[in-house]
Amino acid sequence: GAGVSQSPRYKVAKRGQDVALRCDPISGHVSLFWYQQALGQGPEFLTYFQNEAQLDKSGLPSDRFFAERPEGSVSTLKIQRTQQEDSAVYLCASSTLAGYTGELFFGEGSRLTVL
Amino acid sequence: DAKTTQPPSMDCAEGRAANLPCNHSTISGNEYVYWYRQIHSQGPQYIIHGLKNNETNEMASLIITEDRKSSTLILPHATLRDTAVYYCIVNRDDKIIFGKGTRLHILP
Protein backbone atom coordinates (compact mmCIF):
# COMPACT_ATOMS: atom_id res chain seq x y z
CA GLY A 1 0.00 0.00 0.00
CA ALA A 2 0.92 3.67 -0.02
CA GLY A 3 0.93 4.17 3.73
CA VAL A 4 3.73 4.53 6.26
CA SER A 5 5.58 1.27 6.63
CA GLN A 6 7.57 0.25 9.70
CA SER A 7 9.84 -2.71 10.28
CA PRO A 8 10.27 -4.92 12.11
CA ARG A 9 6.75 -5.08 13.54
CA TYR A 10 8.06 -6.99 16.55
CA LYS A 11 11.53 -7.05 18.04
CA VAL A 12 12.75 -8.86 21.12
CA ALA A 13 16.15 -7.79 22.42
CA LYS A 14 18.25 -8.80 25.36
CA ARG A 15 19.18 -6.00 27.71
CA GLY A 16 22.32 -4.32 26.45
CA GLN A 17 21.77 -5.11 22.78
CA ASP A 18 21.52 -2.44 20.11
CA VAL A 19 18.38 -2.25 17.95
CA ALA A 20 17.45 -0.41 14.77
CA LEU A 21 13.89 0.38 13.74
CA ARG A 22 13.06 1.45 10.21
CA CYS A 23 10.39 3.79 8.89
CA ASP A 24 9.39 4.21 5.24
CA PRO A 25 7.21 7.32 5.07
CA ILE A 26 4.70 8.10 2.37
CA SER A 27 6.60 9.10 -0.76
CA GLY A 28 7.16 12.83 -1.00
CA HIS A 29 6.23 13.61 2.58
CA VAL A 30 8.42 16.37 3.93
CA SER A 31 7.99 15.80 7.65
CA LEU A 32 8.73 12.67 9.65
CA PHE A 33 8.08 12.08 13.34
CA TRP A 34 8.98 9.36 15.82
CA TYR A 35 6.85 8.64 18.89
CA GLN A 36 7.21 6.19 21.76
CA GLN A 37 4.11 4.58 23.26
CA ALA A 38 4.33 2.67 26.52
CA LEU A 39 1.59 0.21 27.41
CA GLY A 40 -1.63 2.00 28.35
CA GLN A 41 -0.27 5.46 27.59
CA GLY A 42 -0.64 7.90 24.73
CA PRO A 43 2.16 8.31 22.20
CA GLU A 44 5.01 10.53 23.37
CA PHE A 45 7.03 12.67 20.97
CA LEU A 46 10.65 11.69 20.37
CA THR A 47 11.96 13.59 17.37
CA TYR A 48 11.06 15.46 14.17
CA PHE A 49 12.71 15.63 10.74
CA GLN A 50 12.03 18.09 7.95
CA ASN A 51 13.48 16.37 4.91
CA GLU A 52 16.95 15.22 6.07
CA ALA A 53 17.29 17.81 8.83
CA GLN A 54 16.56 16.77 12.39
CA LEU A 55 14.94 19.95 13.68
CA ASP A 56 13.69 18.72 17.03
CA LYS A 57 15.09 15.95 19.17
CA SER A 58 13.84 17.25 22.46
CA GLY A 59 11.87 14.10 23.23
CA LEU A 60 14.71 11.60 22.95
CA PRO A 61 14.97 10.17 26.47
CA SER A 62 18.72 9.67 26.55
CA ASP A 63 21.86 9.71 24.43
CA ARG A 64 21.27 6.00 23.79
CA PHE A 65 18.56 7.04 21.33
CA PHE A 66 19.63 8.22 17.90
CA ALA A 67 17.58 8.90 14.76
CA GLU A 68 18.57 9.69 11.22
CA ARG A 69 17.00 10.39 7.84
CA PRO A 70 20.04 10.83 5.60
CA GLU A 71 18.31 11.22 2.24
CA GLY A 72 15.12 12.79 3.43
CA SER A 73 12.99 9.69 2.98
CA VAL A 74 13.61 6.50 5.00
CA SER A 75 14.38 7.02 8.68
CA THR A 76 16.03 4.79 11.24
CA LEU A 77 15.64 4.99 15.01
CA LYS A 78 18.55 3.35 16.79
CA ILE A 79 18.61 2.45 20.45
CA GLN A 80 21.95 1.50 21.93
CA ARG A 81 22.45 -0.69 25.00
CA THR A 82 18.74 -1.32 25.38
CA GLN A 83 17.19 -1.27 28.85
CA GLN A 84 13.92 -2.78 30.04
CA GLU A 85 12.32 0.66 30.26
CA ASP A 86 12.81 0.99 26.49
CA SER A 87 10.11 -1.64 25.96
CA ALA A 88 7.35 0.14 24.05
CA VAL A 89 5.76 0.57 20.65
CA TYR A 90 7.72 2.97 18.46
CA LEU A 91 5.50 4.83 16.03
CA CYS A 92 6.56 6.71 12.92
CA ALA A 93 4.41 9.33 11.22
CA SER A 94 4.82 11.47 8.13
CA SER A 95 3.15 14.60 6.81
CA THR A 96 3.02 16.53 3.56
CA LEU A 97 3.53 19.82 5.34
CA ALA A 98 6.66 21.24 6.88
CA GLY A 99 6.40 21.87 10.60
CA TYR A 100 4.06 20.47 13.17
CA THR A 101 0.70 21.36 11.62
CA GLY A 102 -1.41 19.24 9.34
CA GLU A 103 -2.52 15.66 9.27
CA LEU A 104 -0.06 13.04 10.44
CA PHE A 105 -0.13 9.62 8.82
CA PHE A 106 1.05 6.92 11.22
CA GLY A 107 2.51 3.52 10.63
CA GLU A 108 1.43 0.50 12.66
CA GLY A 109 4.49 0.73 14.87
CA SER A 110 7.37 -1.48 15.94
CA ARG A 111 6.84 -3.25 19.24
CA LEU A 112 10.13 -3.57 21.15
CA THR A 113 10.41 -5.93 24.09
CA VAL A 114 13.63 -5.84 26.10
CA LEU A 115 14.25 -8.86 28.28
CA ASP B 1 1.93 18.12 29.23
CA ALA B 2 -1.27 17.82 27.23
CA LYS B 3 -3.30 21.03 27.01
CA THR B 4 -6.59 19.13 26.97
CA THR B 5 -8.77 17.26 29.43
CA GLN B 6 -10.87 14.28 28.37
CA PRO B 7 -12.89 11.69 30.30
CA PRO B 8 -10.89 8.45 30.55
CA SER B 9 -13.69 6.29 29.16
CA MET B 10 -17.17 6.38 27.65
CA ASP B 11 -19.77 3.91 26.47
CA CYS B 12 -22.09 4.31 23.50
CA ALA B 13 -24.73 1.99 22.09
CA GLU B 14 -24.18 0.79 18.55
CA GLY B 15 -26.09 2.90 16.04
CA ARG B 16 -26.35 5.89 18.36
CA ALA B 17 -24.36 9.10 18.14
CA ALA B 18 -21.17 9.14 20.19
CA ASN B 19 -20.38 12.56 21.65
CA LEU B 20 -16.84 12.86 22.98
CA PRO B 21 -16.07 16.00 25.00
CA CYS B 22 -12.79 17.82 25.36
CA ASN B 23 -11.82 20.78 27.52
CA HIS B 24 -9.03 23.09 26.35
CA SER B 25 -9.53 26.20 28.46
CA THR B 26 -6.00 27.53 27.86
CA ILE B 27 -6.16 27.32 24.06
CA SER B 28 -4.47 30.19 22.23
CA GLY B 29 -6.14 32.15 19.47
CA ASN B 30 -4.16 30.53 16.67
CA GLU B 31 -4.17 26.96 17.95
CA TYR B 32 -6.17 24.32 16.13
CA VAL B 33 -8.17 21.51 17.74
CA TYR B 34 -7.25 18.11 16.31
CA TRP B 35 -8.83 14.72 16.90
CA TYR B 36 -7.10 11.40 16.33
CA ARG B 37 -8.15 7.90 17.26
CA GLN B 38 -6.18 4.74 17.87
CA ILE B 39 -7.69 1.34 17.32
CA HIS B 40 -6.04 -1.49 19.22
CA SER B 41 -2.62 -2.50 17.83
CA GLN B 42 -2.69 0.20 15.16
CA GLY B 43 -1.12 3.63 14.84
CA PRO B 44 -3.20 6.75 15.50
CA GLN B 45 -5.52 7.84 12.70
CA TYR B 46 -6.41 11.45 11.94
CA ILE B 47 -10.12 12.23 12.19
CA ILE B 48 -10.72 15.95 11.88
CA HIS B 49 -9.48 19.38 12.93
CA GLY B 50 -10.81 22.91 13.26
CA LEU B 51 -9.96 26.41 14.38
CA LYS B 52 -13.18 28.31 15.15
CA ASN B 53 -15.95 27.00 12.96
CA ASN B 54 -17.65 23.67 13.25
CA GLU B 55 -16.31 21.10 10.82
CA THR B 56 -17.72 17.94 9.26
CA ASN B 57 -16.19 15.23 7.12
CA GLU B 58 -17.03 11.66 6.21
CA MET B 59 -15.88 10.37 9.58
CA ALA B 60 -17.18 12.84 12.13
CA SER B 61 -18.29 16.32 13.11
CA LEU B 62 -16.37 18.72 15.32
CA ILE B 63 -18.28 21.27 17.36
CA ILE B 64 -16.18 24.04 18.94
CA THR B 65 -17.75 26.38 21.49
CA GLU B 66 -17.78 30.07 20.73
CA ASP B 67 -15.17 30.80 23.42
CA ARG B 68 -13.10 27.87 22.04
CA LYS B 69 -12.52 26.51 25.53
CA SER B 70 -14.12 23.18 24.75
CA SER B 71 -15.16 21.01 21.84
CA THR B 72 -17.11 17.86 21.07
CA LEU B 73 -16.36 15.18 18.53
CA ILE B 74 -19.50 13.55 17.19
CA LEU B 75 -19.59 10.15 15.52
CA PRO B 76 -23.12 10.20 14.10
CA HIS B 77 -23.85 6.48 13.95
CA ALA B 78 -21.36 4.54 16.03
CA THR B 79 -20.39 1.03 14.98
CA LEU B 80 -18.32 -1.64 16.71
CA ARG B 81 -15.40 -0.59 14.51
CA ASP B 82 -15.38 2.80 16.23
CA THR B 83 -14.14 1.20 19.45
CA ALA B 84 -10.84 3.00 20.04
CA VAL B 85 -8.99 5.57 22.13
CA TYR B 86 -9.85 9.09 20.96
CA TYR B 87 -7.30 11.86 21.44
CA CYS B 88 -8.13 15.57 21.50
CA ILE B 89 -5.11 17.78 20.79
CA VAL B 90 -4.60 21.52 20.55
CA ASN B 91 -1.65 22.60 18.47
CA ARG B 92 -0.26 25.22 16.15
CA ASP B 93 3.48 25.22 15.68
CA ASP B 94 4.73 22.80 18.29
CA LYS B 95 5.07 19.06 18.66
CA ILE B 96 1.78 17.19 18.92
CA ILE B 97 1.19 15.97 22.47
CA PHE B 98 -1.37 13.18 22.74
CA GLY B 99 -2.33 12.86 26.38
CA LYS B 100 -4.27 9.78 27.52
CA GLY B 101 -7.43 10.24 25.48
CA THR B 102 -10.91 8.76 25.95
CA ARG B 103 -11.42 5.04 25.56
CA LEU B 104 -14.72 4.66 23.70
CA HIS B 105 -16.57 1.38 24.04
CA ILE B 106 -19.33 0.69 21.54
CA LEU B 107 -21.91 -1.63 23.03
CA PRO B 108 -23.74 -4.05 20.71
Side-chain angles (χ1 to χ4, degrees):
Chain A
V4 176
S5 178
Q6 293 188 245
S7 61
R9 287 294 315 279
Y10 303 92
K11 175 69 178 178
V12 178
K14 292 183 179 179
R15 190 174 57 181
Q17 282 185 331
D18 298 347
V19 299
L21 308 176
R22 176 186 169 107
C23 173
D24 282 86
I26 296 173
S27 178
H29 276 199
V30 169
S31 294
L32 186 144
F33 304 81
W34 283 98
Y35 281 80
Q36 179 191 58
Q37 187 169 25
L39 190 64
Q41 303 296 315
E44 293 198 2
F45 173 84
L46 293 177
T47 188
Y48 162 61
F49 289 87
Q50 183 175 311
N51 296 310
E52 70 279 1
Q54 189 175 20
L55 299 185
D56 187 344
K57 50 183 181 180
S58 62
L60 296 176
S62 77
D63 59 6
R64 296 187 296 105
F65 287 71
F66 172 77
E68 60 183 4
R69 193 186 185 199
E71 297 179 358
S73 56
V74 170
S75 177
T76 303
L77 176 67
K78 298 179 179 179
I79 308 172
Q80 297 177 325
R81 303 181 304 280
T82 53
Q83 303 295 315
Q84 285 187 321
E85 61 262 29
D86 300 334
S87 295
V89 175
Y90 291 85
L91 294 161
C92 176
S94 67
S95 170
T96 59
L97 301 178
Y100 298 102
T101 56
E103 177 182 352
L104 299 189
F105 295 83
F106 281 83
E108 293 190 316
S110 292
R111 180 178 296 278
L112 172 64
T113 302
V114 181
L115 303 177
Chain B
D1 290 342
K3 302 178 185 177
T4 62
T5 303
Q6 299 177 254
S9 66
M10 290 183 62
D11 293 338
C12 179
E14 189 177 16
R16 303 296 295 270
N19 297 278
L20 293 95
C22 180
N23 287 325
H24 33 79
S25 58
T26 62
I27 190 170
S28 300
N30 62 353
E31 286 184 312
Y32 286 81
V33 180
Y34 287 83
W35 283 84
Y36 282 78
R37 73 179 182 183
Q38 188 172 23
I39 295 170
H40 183 63
S41 296
Q42 297 183 17
Q45 176 192 23
Y46 167 85
I47 301 173
I48 199 167
H49 76 282
L51 183 62
K52 296 181 180 178
N53 299 322
N54 299 336
E55 301 287 345
T56 295
N57 62 20
E58 66 279 3
M59 290 183 68
S61 294
L62 173 60
I63 308 298
I64 303 174
T65 58
E66 192 169 345
D67 65 6
R68 303 209 325 121
K69 293 185 176 181
S70 65
S71 60
T72 301
L73 179 74
I74 301 173
L75 308 178
H77 304 287
T79 72
L80 295 177
R81 288 177 293 182
D82 293 320
T83 294
V85 177
Y86 287 76
Y87 297 99
C88 170
I89 299 156
V90 296
N91 189 56
R92 175 69 186 190
D93 290 322
D94 199 357
K95 58 186 74 68
I96 290 180
I97 298 174
F98 277 84
K100 295 187 176 181
T102 295
R103 185 171 297 276
L104 177 65
H105 299 100
I106 305 300
L107 307 175

